[in-house]
């Protein structure tokens, strides 16, 4: 594929996936150091998002994008949160980019369960999500 252009965090995400992290854990945990988060905590939090939330629904790598966006955008103001719109806007843009590249964000469709035609491997989805997040973080600077 295009590994020579793969960013450091995308490489880490794919390596995590090869270490048996599920797709959601692989992506979200790759960003823990950069975002100052505890990897074990994020790993636990993301576990049930794998395999399209266990139902082959929304791709776990896409769910991980939402988690990372929240870690970046949220003001953490429990009593008066003011950042939801920014989070939703960022996630919408990332979802559209993932969909543009792969045609869908649905695990079952990406895996070709009904069509017998795999659109994108899990490693590929992990890579795409992490690369999109890297781009997003670059633009935040």
């Amino acid at each position: 594929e295009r590994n020579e252009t793969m960013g450091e965090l995308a490489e880490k995400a794919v390596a995590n996936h090869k270490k048996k992290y599920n797709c959601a854990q692989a992506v979200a945990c790759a960003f823990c150091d950069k975002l100052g988060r505890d990897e074990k905590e994020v790993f636990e939090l993301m576990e049930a998002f794998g395999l399209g939330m266990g139902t082959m629904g929304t791709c776990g790598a896409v769910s991980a994008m939402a988690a990372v966006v929240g870690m970046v955008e949220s003001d953490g103001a429990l009593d008066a949160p003011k950042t939801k719109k920014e989070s939703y806007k960022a996630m919408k843009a990332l979802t559209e980019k993932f969909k543009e590249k792969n045609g869908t964000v649905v695990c079952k469709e990406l895996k070709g369960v009904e069509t017998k035609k795999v659109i994108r491997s899990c490693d590929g989805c992990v890579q795409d999500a992490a690369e999109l997040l890297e781009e997003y973080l670059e633009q935040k600077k």
Side-chain angles (χ1 to χ4, degrees):
E1 296 203 24
R2 50 184 213 278
N3 288 11
E4 68 283 345
T5 63
M6 205 190 313
E8 193 180 321
L9 296 173
E11 276 182 33
K12 186 172 184 180
V14 173
N16 283 345
H17 194 246
K18 291 186 189 315
K19 283 195 318 202
K20 302 281 188 257
Y21 287 34
N22 72 29
C23 48
Q25 291 166 326
V27 173
C29 290
F31 289 83
C32 283
D33 284 350
K34 186 169 185 65
L35 300 176
R37 303 296 170 136
D38 179 70
E39 186 167 354
K40 185 174 189 279
E41 208 170 300
V42 171
F43 182 90
E44 292 169 348
L45 186 68
M46 296 310 297
E47 189 157 290
F49 287 92
L51 194 71
M53 294 187 214
T55 64
M56 296 198 96
T58 300
C59 169
V62 173
S63 296
M65 290 197 304
V68 172
V69 165
M71 289 188 249
V72 171
E73 297 290 344
S74 180
D75 58 15
L78 302 182
D79 296 328
K82 293 179 176 57
T83 52
K84 287 186 288 220
K85 276 189 181 139
E86 288 82 3
S87 288
Y88 302 158
K89 185 179 171 200
M91 188 56 199
K92 183 177 185 208
L94 286 165
T95 301
E96 284 169 0
K97 286 179 182 176
F98 188 95
K99 223 184 234 175
E100 225 169 81
K101 186 173 188 338
N102 296 305
T104 182
V105 296
V106 178
C107 176
K108 187 186 338 191
E109 294 170 5
L110 289 159
K111 300 285 123 262
V113 171
E114 284 150 10
T115 61
K116 304 289 181 249
K117 183 184 176 288
V118 176
I119 294 173
R120 193 83 169 112
S121 69
C122 292
D123 275 349
C125 290
V126 163
Q127 180 182 333
D128 293 344
E131 285 178 347
L132 288 169
L133 284 168
E134 283 184 297
E135 265 173 43
Y136 156 73
L137 288 176
E138 273 302 307
Q139 291 162 357
K140 293 290 297 175
K141 282 183 182 171

